[in-house]
Amino acid sequence: MKLNDPVTVEDAAAIIGCTKGRISQLVDEGKLEYEYLHGRALLIEKKSAQAYAKTPQKTGRPRIAAAG
């Protein structure tokens, strides 16, 4: 795949408002479009990062269903 507007992991983290490690997790989960440059450097599609940043995220610990 060829990215139209690639950004670095650092830039993607700034767009989304998270850490570089979280970007790696999102890539592993298939939530961001990415490409490896020469098999080493990870590049993220800018539009993909911007779209993820606009998506409301669940935060906090999941609730336990009440037994009954």
Side-chain angles (χ1 to χ4, degrees):
M1 172 184 4
K2 195 72 168 162
L3 301 178
N4 293 326
D5 191 11
V7 295
T8 64
V9 172
E10 291 83 5
D11 292 338
I15 290 168
I16 294 172
C18 65
T19 64
K20 295 185 294 185
R22 181 64 180 139
I23 295 296
S24 295
Q25 289 175 339
L26 293 172
V27 165
D28 290 342
E29 294 169 9
K31 296 183 178 179
L32 295 175
E33 294 178 39
Y34 68 95
E35 182 177 344
Y36 283 101
L37 180 64
H38 304 295
R40 299 194 64 186
L42 180 62
L43 298 175
I44 309 297
E45 177 64 49
K46 187 174 183 177
K47 286 183 183 179
S48 178
Q50 290 170 333
Y52 186 83
K54 291 179 185 177
T55 306
Q57 304 300 316
K58 290 184 179 180
T59 59
R61 188 178 201 168
R63 293 183 179 249
I64 298 174

